[in-house]
Amino acid sequence: MRSYNPDLTPPWKKSAPVPEVPADRDLVVEEVATGFCGAVIRCEASTVTLEDRFGKHRVFPLEPRGFLLEGKVVTLVRPASGPARPTRTASGSVAVPGARARVARAGRIYVEGRHDAELVERVWGDDLRIEGVVVEYLEGVDDLPAIVAEFGPAPDARLGVLVDHLVPGSKESRIAAQVTSPDVLVVGHPYIDVWEAVKPSSLGIPAWPTVPRGQDWKTGVCRALGWPDHTGAAWQHILSRVTSYKDLEPALLGRVEELIDFVTAP
């Protein structure tokens, strides 16, 4: 005689089903138990490896209801073989296939030079187009107070400024302190030049070389690394090795995202 074991669990105590999501490479999720958030870099039969934006790796089991995707509980499963469409932009944001660029906002983000602008475009370009944020470069910040006054910042036209070598006691810090408008946010990174914001490991070098004071920094870097004295070509080589936010130092990542949030705030 066949046994009968009915499920006597009350309906209100049963767990609602959650979607199964393939653990495709670069998918960003949060592990429920630990709160660790990172991008999928490897998925095996029963585990998934995540990498956070600081380069730290953690391995987690593929357990039911084990992860959050955009704040919702999901079950990660091993992806099917074959190429998958990217789910993230170079900055780690959710990709929006086919999205049209938004009409440009009145607000702007200013950076010091062309290399800064090209690096920001490389990593955050998709996000900026969707948000309608234009990035312009200044060729230095010596005249920043006058530039800000000419822009005329307002609550509906905020201005964000990214400054190189913004450290206590520097010329840049003294200039930035002169900008006091509540509709302007001036932030910076500690590097002499934005080149240094690219991780040495992404370029296959052990570290950025130290250049003696009084010597042109970019030229000194090229010579120390055995590159030709052609800083334009050197920059194109550096830029070509940047494919996502993972290739940049956290000190730059956080500042650019802070500026984007500031100029797009309601």
Side-chain angles (χ1 to χ4, degrees):
M1 183 175 178
R2 182 183 300 175
S3 61
Y4 176 56
N5 296 310
D7 183 358
L8 300 178
T9 305
W12 60 88
K13 289 189 176 181
K14 293 182 179 180
S15 297
V18 300
E20 293 187 346
V21 177
D24 293 324
R25 187 176 181 85
D26 293 331
L27 179 72
V28 177
V29 295
E30 178 182 341
E31 203 273 332
V32 170
T34 63
F36 185 89
C37 183
V40 174
I41 61 171
R42 183 168 53 256
C43 186
E44 298 175 336
S46 60
T47 63
V48 62
T49 302
L50 304 182
E51 180 186 61
D52 70 9
R53 63 178 47 214
F54 302 107
K56 184 178 180 180
H57 292 186
R58 292 279 298 273
V59 180
F60 298 101
L62 290 174
E63 295 183 342
R65 307 173 67 88
F67 298 86
L68 295 176
L69 176 62
E70 298 180 7
K72 297 181 180 180
V73 178
V74 298
T75 296
L76 288 189
V77 296
R78 193 173 185 181
S81 58
R85 185 164 58 183
T87 59
R88 295 278 156 177
T89 66
S91 72
S93 299
V94 178
V96 185
R100 294 184 178 182
R102 178 174 174 168
V103 174
R105 294 173 181 266
R108 291 287 188 272
I109 291 177
Y110 286 167
V111 297
E112 283 208 44
R114 181 170 60 85
H115 293 180
D116 305 69
E118 290 176 346
L119 188 60
V120 170
E121 163 63 26
R122 183 85 169 189
V123 176
W124 288 274
D126 290 340
D127 308 62
L128 293 168
R129 280 182 284 278
I130 289 175
E131 294 290 350
V133 177
V134 175
V135 175
E136 301 178 8
Y137 65 91
L138 304 175
E139 296 291 4
V141 294
D142 288 354
D143 298 324
L144 184 60
I147 292 170
V148 169
E150 182 180 358
F151 177 82
D156 60 346
R158 292 182 170 186
L159 178 62
V161 184
L162 179 68
V163 178
D164 297 343
H165 198 229
L166 190 62
V167 296
S170 68
K171 176 191 73 172
E172 292 82 1
S173 67
R174 291 191 292 272
I175 293 171
Q178 299 175 41
V179 178
T180 58
S181 169
D183 299 311
V184 180
L185 177 64
V186 181
V187 299
H189 57 74
Y191 310 113
I192 295 174
D193 191 275
V194 77
W195 287 21
E196 280 191 292
V198 179
K199 291 181 178 178
S201 58
S202 297
L203 297 170
I205 60 176
W208 285 102
T210 300
V211 177
R213 293 178 66 89
Q215 182 177 347
D216 179 73
W217 188 85
K218 292 176 181 176
T219 302
V221 165
C222 290
R223 291 173 180 172
L225 295 176
W227 296 350
D229 283 1
H230 190 316
T231 57
W235 169 244
Q236 291 307 313
H237 167 68
I238 295 168
L239 189 62
S240 71
R241 303 301 295 270
V242 176
T243 59
S244 78
Y245 71 92
K246 300 175 187 177
D247 297 307
L248 302 182
E249 298 288 358
L252 176 66
L253 289 173
R255 302 296 75 73
V256 174
E257 292 174 0
E258 190 176 354
L259 290 177
I260 294 173
D261 289 343
F262 179 77
V263 300
T264 59

